[in-house]
Amino acid sequence: MSSQENQVASPRSNLATIMMFLIPSLIGVFLFMTPIAYNDAFTIPIAVLAKAIQSGLSGSITTIVTLIVATTAVLSLLCTVLKPEKLKKYPFFNHLLVVNPIWLIARLLGAVFIAMTYFKIGLPAVYSENTGHLVLNDLMPVLFSVFILAGLLLPLLLNFGLLELVGTLLTKVMRPLFGVPGRASVNCVASWLGDGSVGILMTAKQYEEKHYTEREAAIIGTTFSAVSITFCLVVIGQVKLEHLFAPFYLTVCLAGVVAALIVPRLPPLRLKANRYIDGQEATKNPEALPEGKSLFGYSMEVALNKARHAKGVKGTLEEGLKNAIDMVFAVLPIVMAIGTVALMIAEYTPVFKWLGTPFIPYLELLQLPEAEKAAETIMVGFADMFIPSILAASNIESDVTRFVIAAMSVTQLIYMSEVGALLLGSKIPVNIFELFIIFILRTLVTLPVIVVMAHWLV
């Protein structure tokens, strides 16, 4: 096409690009981030749709989930052990089903637990009301319905330029406040709007490509790979406070920012080397806008460029379907395995009570109701972020305390069922001891913020 033809076509092309950016992004913002009145309470549209799925499948949803977890375990075992050549032709399914030994054991354990719980066979400790039964009947249906919708609809937020717009607008904030490059804001937004695992994968890839130093990669991976809005919705629903979703999410955001300001300035993150993966020391490279461009103008340019190259309806639906399959088949077995084990430990041993005891004076100082029971939920969050809310829903009466535990479980961020395992499996330079220390630091830093907000908002 000649330059003259380009000029003639550009107004129509620009309008089409703007519409391609605006329409899906606004729909995504409405579905995932806009509070609406529903049944005399405020929630977000995606939650209403998720409850509709749960209601429509109420008679069979536990059977569906059981079949999914069992099928995932069997196929993972076969594919991981046999590694069939034909599977390599399908990268998506190869990635989904060929897993490392730890993930394989977790999937098999999840299948065993869910079968025992569904058929009520084997050890009563596994399928009792407060252990496997609670995970299968209370948590898994919620996760299933939310994952299906989130997987299908998240491309509206992630693929049409909204991420690039917000990320570029935040470039002037990230370096002075958090000591990381402006591009880290994209990781953060991808995590908060999409999924924490997406942020970690993005961080690991950019660390390997020398966009981040060791310190920057460690900070971003443990600070900005935040729990998504989807998981926040599940957690607040678990403690029966869906009507407080807007103030809950505001609290999570505020506590997350406070943790991002403080924790990277403390060991172990502060002690990480400022060098790249190949050992080369970092040089100062201040980020600057292209000459002659404003921040907003350049942000819009980047966003529209993303929209211009976005996949069509078919490509977006295909990606959404893959997202949904990945979330449902990869996450549900892990939640069943780790959730049941954590609840068995909580129900039949004093381990979490012992671990939480040092936090009781801290919670009492913060004037949190039912401080002793709340303290028992704090350390279990290192295993999995859902378990504190499950314990709170069954053991704690105070709305304020359930709100605090739900928000705390989200802002603790480091949980071994997903984020921790992904970080350890990547080349990001952190070990399990450092992750545990970061988990404790985030808990200590965010709790005062969350408690103050809870007393004010709940």
Side-chain angles (χ1 to χ4, degrees), residues 13-88:
S13 174
N14 286 342
L15 180 60
T17 302
I18 291 170
M19 290 299 101
M20 180 66 81
F21 162 66
L22 280 178
I23 294 173
S25 298
L26 289 175
I27 293 172
V29 168
F30 171 72
L31 289 172
F32 285 90
M33 306 180 72
T34 306
I36 60 170
Y38 180 77
N39 286 348
D40 299 322
F42 280 96
T43 184
I44 56 175
I46 203 79
V48 177
L49 295 174
K51 286 194 173 182
I53 290 178
Q54 280 181 259
S55 178
L57 297 174
S58 58
S60 57
I61 195 164
T62 53
T63 302
I64 293 170
V65 168
T66 300
L67 288 172
I68 287 171
V69 173
T71 301
T72 303
V74 172
L75 291 178
S76 297
L77 179 62
L78 292 173
C79 294
T80 301
V81 172
L82 300 177
K83 291 185 172 62
E85 285 296 320
K86 289 184 179 179
L87 193 63
K88 293 180 181 177

Side-chain angles (χ1 to χ4, degrees), residues 342-383:
L343 286 176
M344 288 168 62
I345 294 171
E347 182 73 10
Y348 299 110
T349 77
V351 169
F352 289 123
K353 186 174 182 178
W354 291 341
L355 292 174
T357 299
F359 287 92
I360 294 175
Y362 188 45
L363 296 177
E364 288 176 341
L365 181 66
L366 295 172
Q367 299 183 359
L368 187 70
E370 301 181 73
E372 190 169 338
K373 290 181 179 178
E376 294 179 24
T377 70
I378 288 178
M379 296 307 297
V380 72
F382 188 63

Side-chain angles (χ1 to χ4, degrees), residues 35-264:
I36 60 170
Y38 180 77
N39 286 348
D40 299 322
F42 280 96
T43 184
I44 56 175
I46 203 79
V48 177
L49 295 174
K51 286 194 173 182
I53 290 178
Q54 280 181 259
S55 178
L57 297 174
S58 58
S60 57
I61 195 164
T62 53
T63 302
I64 293 170
V65 168
T66 300
L67 288 172
I68 287 171
V69 173
T71 301
T72 303
V74 172
L75 291 178
S76 297
L77 179 62
L78 292 173
C79 294
T80 301
V81 172
L82 300 177
K83 291 185 172 62
E85 285 296 320
K86 289 184 179 179
L87 193 63
K88 293 180 181 177
K89 297 178 183 177
Y90 307 96
F92 172 74
F93 290 104
N94 189 64
H95 170 75
L96 181 66
L97 298 174
V98 179
V99 294
N100 65 44
I102 294 175
W103 289 115
L104 179 60
I105 291 169
R107 289 183 180 187
L108 293 172
L109 195 61
V112 171
F113 285 164
I114 206 167
M116 292 171 70
T117 303
Y118 185 80
F119 294 108
K120 289 186 168 47
I121 57 175
L123 297 171
V126 172
Y127 62 76
S128 74
E129 291 286 326
N130 294 324
T131 56
H133 178 89
L134 189 66
V135 179
L136 175 58
N137 291 277
D138 288 8
L139 180 58
M140 300 290 265
V142 178
L143 289 178
F144 174 77
S145 57
V146 172
F147 284 176
I148 290 289
L149 287 169
L152 288 171
L153 299 173
L154 270 172
L156 296 172
L157 282 177
L158 303 180
N159 291 3
F160 295 91
L162 181 65
L163 189 67
E164 282 67 24
L165 175 68
V166 177
T168 308
L169 285 172
L170 290 174
T171 54
K172 294 295 184 182
V173 175
M174 305 302 287
R175 178 67 72 182
L177 289 183
F178 309 117
V180 294
R183 65 170 58 229
S185 60
V186 178
N187 296 59
C188 181
V189 176
S191 297
W192 281 50
L193 297 184
D195 182 63
S197 60
V198 175
I200 291 170
L201 295 174
M202 288 171 63
T203 303
K205 182 175 177 59
Q206 291 179 87
Y207 172 59
E208 291 173 32
E209 294 174 353
K210 292 183 60 178
H211 292 297
Y212 296 145
T213 65
E214 289 182 15
R215 182 185 300 162
E216 290 165 354
I219 290 172
I220 296 163
T222 59
T223 305
F224 295 105
S225 298
V227 173
S228 71
I229 192 171
T230 305
F231 282 91
C232 287
L233 177 63
V234 173
V235 169
I236 196 67
Q238 184 62 35
V239 295
K240 307 294 188 292
L241 295 173
E242 299 99 321
H243 60 287
L244 293 173
F245 180 77
F248 171 78
Y249 199 65
L250 172 66
T251 301
V252 166
C253 292
L254 179 60
V257 169
V258 172
L261 287 168
I262 296 173
V263 175

Side-chain angles (χ1 to χ4, degrees), residues 1 3 86 90 122 148 217 321 365 371 430 444:
M1 184 180 287
S3 60
K86 289 184 179 179
Y90 307 96
I148 290 289
L321 185 60
L365 181 66
V430 288
L444 294 172

